[in-house]
Amino acid sequence: MKLVWKLLKHHISISQLVGFFLANLAGMVIILLGLQFYLDYRALENEESFMKSDYLIVNKKITTMSVLTGSQSTFEEAEVEALGNEDFVERIGVFTPSSFDVYAQFNVEGFVNFSTEMFFESVPDVFVDVESEAWTYNEGDADIPIILPKNYLDLYNLGYAQGKGMPKLSEGLIGALKLDILIGNQGIRDKFVGKIVGFSSRLNTILVPEQFMLWANKKYASADAAKEPTRLILEVNNPADERITSYLQEHNYETDEGKLDASKMTFILQLLVGIVMLVGAVICILSLCILMLSIFLLVEKNSAKLENLLLIGYSPAKVAFPYVTLTISMNALVLIMAVLIMQIVRSAYLNMFEGFFQNYDAPSVLPSLCVGFLLLLVVSAFNVVAIRGKVQGIWKAKR
């Protein structure tokens, strides 16, 4: 085999191989870094950032005229159905409010003591952004799982507790405490225990499971209590779609403009990541063409030597082996270098992420490594088949 290498290496173009290596490296880095950045970006959805899923909360505008005329701010069933049938809506859910009195007491000796009237709301579980095994309720249970808005805790820690010299509370500490809750109406009052199971960054309300809300409204609500929802939650497929804004304005609906702009930014960022990865794939394909062109030119230059080797007894597989080894080695080196560059760039932007979001938990790089290895196998297999086919063609032409 050393003799074969000596005969073939003289016509190897170093400049062509370097060109292939750099082009393939650029494409591989773009693909792996784009994929890893997208995975890291997705992990930010659990943080308080502008990178949220495409959910919008919609309500009817409350104006001076609507107050004076007594216009209803609730959504009728036909209005909910009409909005849900729009092309830009993936899923729609309603906020179900509590139609009964809710009174909560929070008593811990030597700590924080308060009591207050409050309210509950529920949404379908698919819209809840807190994962907890305790988020369930069966009729007859004495415990009610509760999800609080994340900004409630922030307001207490950064505002009230800071100004009053009160102890600050963590999510874990709050989750270990329980509320005494009285619910009912003028005729019936029952006592329950409230268990805080999480904090939502998406929903700015006090949430209880929908199973509990439906049961409690049926049991405790008065006959004249409003049944229609006052707010809707939408999952949209493209928050940058102008039809969303037009529809809301046309029907006198409103949503949080900040969340709408954030959802648009998220969609645009997802689109840009996809475009970048597509560019990386195109560069990889072009670099593969450069490599194959270089190998074919090299085979043509060495065709006389290849014919002699085949005629003296070398098999086509042995003759093709040096070229196969060369291409696979370069592909492997490209993957190793691309992973190193990806890790260097990733460590730089992860430092910024962790500086902005203290609880940020970076995901694994294993999916990106698997994609890179898969690309290595596909490209190498294509190279091997093409090289062996070229050598086999020379062998068949001389037989």
Side-chain angles (χ1 to χ4, degrees):
M1 194 56 63
K2 291 183 179 179
L3 176 61
V4 178
W5 269 109
K6 288 181 180 181
L7 291 173
L8 302 181
K9 72 179 182 180
H10 294 292
H11 292 292
I12 293 178
S13 175
I14 300 299
S15 60
Q16 289 178 346
L17 294 180
V18 169
F20 155 74
F21 178 84
L22 294 178
N24 200 15
L25 178 62
M28 186 69 76
V29 168
I30 291 175
I31 291 177
L32 296 186
L33 187 59
L35 175 61
Q36 190 59 49
F37 180 79
Y38 179 73
L39 296 175
D40 293 335
Y41 142 79
R42 292 287 295 179
L44 288 176
E45 290 187 353
N46 294 326
E47 301 297 326
E48 282 190 305
S49 71
F50 64 90
M51 296 180 177
K52 297 293 181 186
S53 298
D54 302 329
Y55 291 93
L56 301 178
I57 296 175
V58 177
N59 59 271
K60 290 187 175 181
K61 290 183 179 179
I62 300 177
T63 63
T64 303
M65 183 61 65
S66 66
V67 173
L68 294 176
T69 58
S71 299
Q72 293 293 323
S73 60
T74 57
F75 289 92
E76 296 180 0
E77 185 176 349
E79 293 175 313
V80 177
E81 184 177 353
L83 179 55
N85 289 333
E86 292 295 320
D87 293 338
F88 54 80
V89 176
E90 291 287 336
R91 285 184 294 193
I92 186 170
V94 300
F95 283 80
T96 305
S98 54
S99 300
F100 46 81
D101 297 332
V102 181
Y103 189 82
Q105 295 177 325
F106 187 67
N107 300 312
V108 179
E109 186 176 352
F111 199 56
V112 181
N113 302 314
F114 71 84
S115 59
T116 182
E117 288 189 45
M118 60 189 300
F119 67 95
F120 288 148
E121 283 188 298
S122 69
V123 295
D125 291 345
V126 69
F127 295 102
V128 178
D129 58 333
V130 176
E131 296 184 2
S132 174
E133 295 180 356
W135 188 246
T136 183
Y137 181 83
N138 297 311
E139 184 176 343
D141 290 348
D143 292 349
I144 307 173
I146 298 173
I147 294 177
L148 295 178
K150 181 68 164 62
N151 58 4
Y152 279 24
L153 184 61
D154 292 339
L155 285 173
Y156 171 80
N157 285 331
L158 304 179
Y160 185 81
Q162 188 79 13
K164 298 293 185 179
M166 301 289 289
K168 295 184 178 180
L169 304 176
S170 66
E171 293 185 14
L173 182 59
I174 289 291
L177 302 177
K178 295 184 178 181
L179 294 169
D180 293 330
I181 297 177
L182 296 176
I183 65 172
N185 52 37
Q186 294 181 351
I188 305 174
R189 283 190 182 274
D190 292 321
K191 185 176 181 179
F192 294 84
V193 177
K195 173 69 174 179
I196 299 174
V197 299
F199 292 82
S200 173
S201 298
R202 178 187 301 159
L203 302 170
N204 190 23
T205 188
I206 303 173
L207 285 176
V208 294
E210 192 171 41
Q211 305 98 306
F212 169 79
M213 184 63 74
L214 296 176
W215 169 78
N217 274 341
K218 184 177 180 180
K219 180 176 181 179
Y220 299 106
S222 58
D224 57 348
K227 300 296 191 299
E228 294 82 9
T230 58
R231 295 194 296 168
L232 307 176
I233 181 169
L234 311 179
E235 180 183 358
V236 296
N237 48 34
N238 178 7
D241 194 334
E242 294 182 355
R243 293 178 297 173
I244 298 177
T245 304
S246 299
Y247 188 94
L248 296 180
Q249 292 176 347
E250 179 182 349
H251 292 80
N252 203 32
Y253 299 161
E254 64 179 358
T255 187
D256 189 333
E257 291 296 332
K259 290 185 177 180
L260 184 59
D261 291 341
S263 295
K264 290 180 179 179
M265 188 177 299
T266 298
F267 177 80
I268 293 172
L269 184 55
Q270 291 174 340
L271 184 62
L272 290 176
V273 170
I275 293 174
V276 167
M277 293 182 66
L278 179 61
V279 170
V282 171
I283 293 176
C284 279
I285 294 173
L286 292 177
S287 67
L288 177 61
C289 294
I290 294 174
L291 174 65
M292 296 313 303
L293 179 61
S294 300
I295 295 297
F296 286 166
L297 289 175
L298 184 58
V299 171
E300 289 296 332
K301 290 179 181 179
N302 290 331
S303 59
K305 295 179 180 179
L306 293 176
E307 291 172 6
N308 293 333
L309 290 172
L310 292 169
L311 289 173
I312 64 175
Y314 281 94
S315 66
K318 286 187 177 181
V319 172
F321 181 77
Y323 301 101
V324 171
T325 302
L326 178 63
T327 55
I328 293 178
S329 299
M330 292 192 65
N331 289 334
L333 183 59
V334 163
L335 177 60
I336 294 172
M337 293 293 296
V339 170
L340 291 176
I341 294 174
M342 179 196 73
Q343 289 285 52
I344 293 173
V345 176
R346 183 175 185 252
S347 63
Y349 71 72
L350 280 186
N351 288 335
M352 293 188 294
F353 284 0
E354 292 169 355
F356 293 144
F357 312 106
Q358 296 181 357
N359 296 325
Y360 177 67
D361 186 16
S364 171
V365 298
L366 184 59
S368 297
L369 295 180
C370 291
V371 170
F373 186 70
L374 180 62
L375 288 175
L376 171 65
L377 292 179
V378 172
V379 171
S380 298
F382 181 79
N383 294 155
V384 171
V385 171
I387 292 170
R388 288 187 174 181
K390 186 68 175 178
V391 174
Q392 193 72 27
I394 296 176
W395 171 241
K396 289 180 179 181
K398 288 299 179 181
R399 295 182 63 181

